[in-house]
Amino acid sequence: MTRGVRKVGVEEELWVVDPASRRAVPRAPQVLRLADDDVERELFRHQVEIHSDPSTDLDDVGRDLRAARSGAGRAAEGAGLAVVASAVAVLASEVDVVSDDDRYRDMVARYGDVARSAGTCGMHVHVDVDSDEEGVAVIDRIAPWLPVVLAVSTNSPFADGGDTSYASWRSEQWSRWPSAGPTDPFGDVAGYRAASRALVRSGAARDDAMLYFDARLAASYPTVEIRVADVATDLDDSLLVASLVRALVHTAAAGALPVVPWRSELLRAARWRAARHGLAGDLLHPARPDAEPVGAADVLSDVVDAVRDALDLAGDTDRVAEGVARVLRGTGATRQRAALERTGDLAGVVDDLVARTRDSWKEP
């Protein structure tokens, strides 16, 4: 029997920013008091999290994200603040305060500055799978394809008041966690569970929720969770990433994604190249483990070709064609750099992010 269209759910993390200082501020509790239950706390008090409901229709996912951003944005404005969809704070936070949660406090106590520097904002995409067995097979197959998803999503060139020279500084910061990043093939569910138990036993992860693999079995849902993407300022970019991720998962589950024996060292190299330049430089081709850099446009074209049947099935072909053309002209990182050139300073970049985030939750 042919598998139908898979449901997708998206989680986004957002900064809480003081529009006057343009800095992230630890005032998320004020936002949460004014917001509905769809807005949740994160590790630090200068962040909030929102999500969509799972749906086969990405237009529904987009409407959910728009409504959730609106709820968070209006609540922030009610407190004299703003929410910003950018993967790293452009200017240094006034102070990093851990949220009032014993688990979060223990994470900081265990992992020190690794945890204290983990205040980044990502986009996590959940795609439903029929079983854990199917999920692990998907995770093993899509590993070399995920750096391309990162390259598409790059949206964090500036951090703490400086230019990082990266398109995604979030990816570099996030990789400091000892359980984060690409994984070797697990082989089966038993292999996945054994590796997970060993990481927790070693102390590299406090618990299963801290298994920060680029792709993992979700703890609370029957999904594969893809965690490589920067949060997008523009919702069209969010939906492009969700479309590509769903197509990769569906194609991998059908056994139609080329299986290439990548070493984990090269997976990290592929991820680094994607974080360094986004789509403005060469990438490592996921179907060619020779590590020869290839032009980003050619790689992205080949990825779309590899998942075209899944895109057609889900009705995402036109969305992805338009989105690919758009991000090849410039990702979120490119737009942040354009804002710096236009305004002359990083305060202007924050102002642009505040305005574009607000525009993203207005009705089209």
Side-chain angles (χ1 to χ4, degrees), residues 162-176:
D163 187 338
T164 70
S165 299
Y166 278 73
S168 173
W169 188 241
R170 179 207 60 86
S171 179
E172 295 301 296
Q173 283 189 283
W174 188 253
S175 67
R176 296 171 184 171

Side-chain angles (χ1 to χ4, degrees), residues 10-16 40-43 46-51 69 84-87 118-124 170 174 225 227 229-232:
V10 172
E11 299 167 343
E12 293 186 322
E13 296 156 341
L14 308 172
W15 292 105
V16 177
E40 301 171 358
R41 66 184 174 185
E42 255 296 330
L43 174 59
H46 52 249
Q47 296 170 290
V48 295
E49 181 176 284
I50 61 172
H51 64 271
R69 285 188 179 198
V84 168
S86 177
T120 63
C121 290
M123 170 187 171
H124 304 158
R170 179 207 60 86
W174 188 253
E225 181 185 4
R227 303 171 57 84
D230 283 5
V231 70

Side-chain angles (χ1 to χ4, degrees), residues 133-167:
E133 289 77 11
E134 182 179 76
V136 172
V138 164
I139 290 168
D140 285 353
R141 283 177 176 266
I142 65 175
W145 303 77
L146 295 182
V148 183
V149 175
L150 168 60
V152 167
S153 76
T154 49
N155 192 31
S156 48
F158 307 118
D160 295 335
D163 187 338
T164 70
S165 299
Y166 278 73

Side-chain angles (χ1 to χ4, degrees), residues 334-349:
T334 311
R335 287 172 220 140
Q336 289 197 37
R337 291 191 180 284
L340 176 61
E341 184 175 350
R342 185 172 64 251
T343 65
D345 60 24
L346 291 178
V349 174

Side-chain angles (χ1 to χ4, degrees), residues 195-321:
S196 299
R197 287 193 300 270
L199 275 173
V200 173
R201 189 165 57 246
S202 76
R206 180 185 185 273
D207 47 37
D208 283 352
M210 278 193 66
L211 296 171
Y212 293 148
F213 306 150
D214 286 350
R216 69 181 186 182
L217 297 178
S220 303
Y221 308 103
T223 64
V224 167
E225 181 185 4
I226 310 304
R227 303 171 57 84
V228 297
D230 283 5
V231 70
T233 310
D234 303 318
L235 280 176
D236 285 343
D237 289 351
S238 302
L239 297 182
L240 170 62
V241 169
S243 301
L244 288 172
V245 167
R246 172 165 63 182
L248 283 167
V249 169
H250 187 92
T251 306
L257 202 64
V259 180
V260 184
W262 279 70
R263 292 180 59 91
S264 57
E265 299 95 324
L266 288 181
L267 290 176
R268 289 194 295 271
R271 178 176 171 153
W272 172 79
R273 286 200 71 91
R276 180 68 175 86
H277 299 294
L279 297 177
D282 293 342
L283 300 172
L284 299 191
H285 197 294
R288 304 178 196 168
D290 58 4
E292 183 69 32
V294 178
D298 291 335
V299 172
L300 196 48
S301 176
D302 287 351
V303 170
V304 172
D305 285 345
V307 300
R308 190 169 301 280
D309 287 348
L311 295 174
D312 289 344
L313 175 67
D316 291 339
T317 306
D318 290 343
R319 184 194 307 276
V320 167

